[in-house]
């Protein structure tokens, strides 16, 4: 499968969370009123709707750990992720404002979306399952579940779940990491992993993940029970279990 590197998807994809008007107003803090916050994020849900469409390049953000969502907003604001609309939206927003938005979406738990149909062959799907569940020791690729949790629902405070995301979104984000377009706090563990994946591996992982459905009660794990396989700058307190 070729990497889906459409121009509008390379870096936006992660979290278009802020209203155009909010970037102009750029308040230092927002009202504690829940209704006020809901009103402010209506344009966010026009793209990141509770029932996302699989043919769109918008990630499922509801239910992801607040620390992860907050980190991505900071990454857009500080230029580690590049998508002009998102960079502009969050340019003048305060840390507290971004954190409140992240916490709002983290508390939402809509029903999981259905599996996505896949045209990938059996060999590709088997390779994707291997990489997700067992990794590839020969290429020093850890299993996805080693970081993203046994249920692939994420791990608090800062590791996202992988199920329920559009297949093309996963494909494009791995491609962006491979090509240095998407970055995170150093050491950037996802960049290390993505660079070890072939284009075929990227397609296999995204195809297999797209065929999986999260359980209705899946939630991010409260913590990891084992050290992460790689040290990740965006995950507080993480330490490597094995050398990269």
């Amino acid at each position: 499968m070729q990497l889906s590197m459409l121009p509008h998807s390379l870096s936006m994809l992660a979290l278009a969370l802020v209203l155009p008007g909010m970037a102009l107003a750029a308040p230092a803090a927002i009202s504690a009123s829940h209704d006020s916050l809901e009103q402010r994020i209506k344009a966010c849900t026009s793209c990141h709707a509770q029932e996302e469409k699989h043919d769109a390049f918008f990630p499922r953000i509801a239910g992801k750990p607040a620390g992860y969502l907050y980190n991505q907003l900071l990454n857009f604001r500080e230029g580690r992720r590049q998508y002009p609309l998102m960079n502009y939206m969050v340019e003048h927003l305060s840390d507290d404002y971004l954190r409140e938005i992240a916490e709002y979406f983290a508390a939402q738990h809509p029903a999981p979306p259905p599996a996505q149909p896949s045209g990938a062959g059996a060999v590709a799907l088997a390779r994707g399952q291997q990489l997700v569940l067992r990794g590839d020791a020969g290429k020093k690729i850890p299993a996805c579940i080693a970081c993203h949790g046994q249920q692939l629902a994420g791990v608090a405070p800062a590791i996202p779940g992988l199920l329920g995301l559009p297949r093309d979104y996963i494909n494009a984000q791995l491609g962006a990491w491979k090509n240095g377009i998407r970055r995170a706090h150093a050491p950037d563990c996802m960049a290390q992993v993505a660079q070890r994946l072939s284009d075929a591996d990227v397609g296999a992982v995204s195809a297999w993940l797209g065929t999986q459905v999260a359980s209705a009660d899946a939630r991010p794990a409260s913590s990891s029970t084992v050290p992460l396989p790689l040290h990740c700058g965006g995950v507080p307190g993480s330490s490597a279990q094995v050398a990269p």
Side-chain angles (χ1 to χ4, degrees), residues 3-221:
L3 297 179
S4 300
M5 300 301 293
L6 299 179
H8 77 293
S9 68
L10 289 180
S11 341
M12 79 171 274
L13 303 168
L15 299 159
L17 292 177
V18 190
L19 295 170
M22 290 163 59
L24 298 177
I30 50 182
S31 166
S33 166
H34 184 66
D35 291 338
S36 175
L37 181 58
E38 285 188 331
Q39 187 68 28
R40 289 173 182 270
I41 55 84
K42 279 187 175 180
C44 307
T45 55
S46 70
C47 291
H48 299 280
Q50 287 199 345
E51 296 182 2
E52 294 88 350
K53 295 180 180 179
H54 285 144
D55 59 352
F57 281 89
F58 299 108
R60 184 178 180 85
I61 59 176
K64 281 186 165 50
Y68 171 76
L69 298 177
Y70 176 66
N71 281 345
Q72 298 316 301
L73 288 168
L74 291 179
N75 287 343
F76 278 116
R77 193 184 69 185
E78 297 170 10
R80 286 181 290 271
R81 298 189 69 172
Q82 292 293 324
Y83 178 67
L85 177 60
M86 275 301 305
N87 300 133
Y88 171 75
M89 295 295 185
V90 300
E91 182 179 7
H92 300 294
L93 298 180
S94 71
D95 289 0
D96 287 344
Y97 201 164
L98 299 183
R99 193 182 300 278
E100 190 167 358
I101 293 170
E103 289 174 351
Y104 172 85
F105 280 102
Q108 309 304 307
H109 297 287
Q116 302 168 57
S118 175
V123 172
L125 291 173
R127 174 61 174 169
Q129 182 181 36
Q130 174 200 339
L131 290 168
V132 172
L133 301 183
R134 299 182 297 280
D136 185 333
K139 297 176 70 172
K140 296 184 178 179
I141 300 171
C144 298
I145 61 173
C147 294
H148 295 272
Q150 291 293 315
Q151 291 186 299
L152 296 170
V155 180
I159 301 177
L162 298 180
L163 299 186
L165 293 169
R167 178 178 56 250
D168 289 337
Y169 172 80
I170 298 172
N171 200 32
Q173 292 309 296
L174 288 172
W177 260 306
K178 278 175 65 67
N179 294 309
I181 297 169
R182 178 172 176 175
R183 295 178 291 122
H185 288 286
D188 190 344
C189 55
M190 272 306 306
Q192 295 175 41
V193 171
Q195 287 160 11
R196 297 169 188 172
L197 295 167
S198 67
D199 287 2
D201 287 341
V202 170
V205 167
S206 60
W208 188 81
L209 286 172
T211 66
Q212 306 304 298
V213 179
S215 63
D217 60 351
R219 299 290 186 271

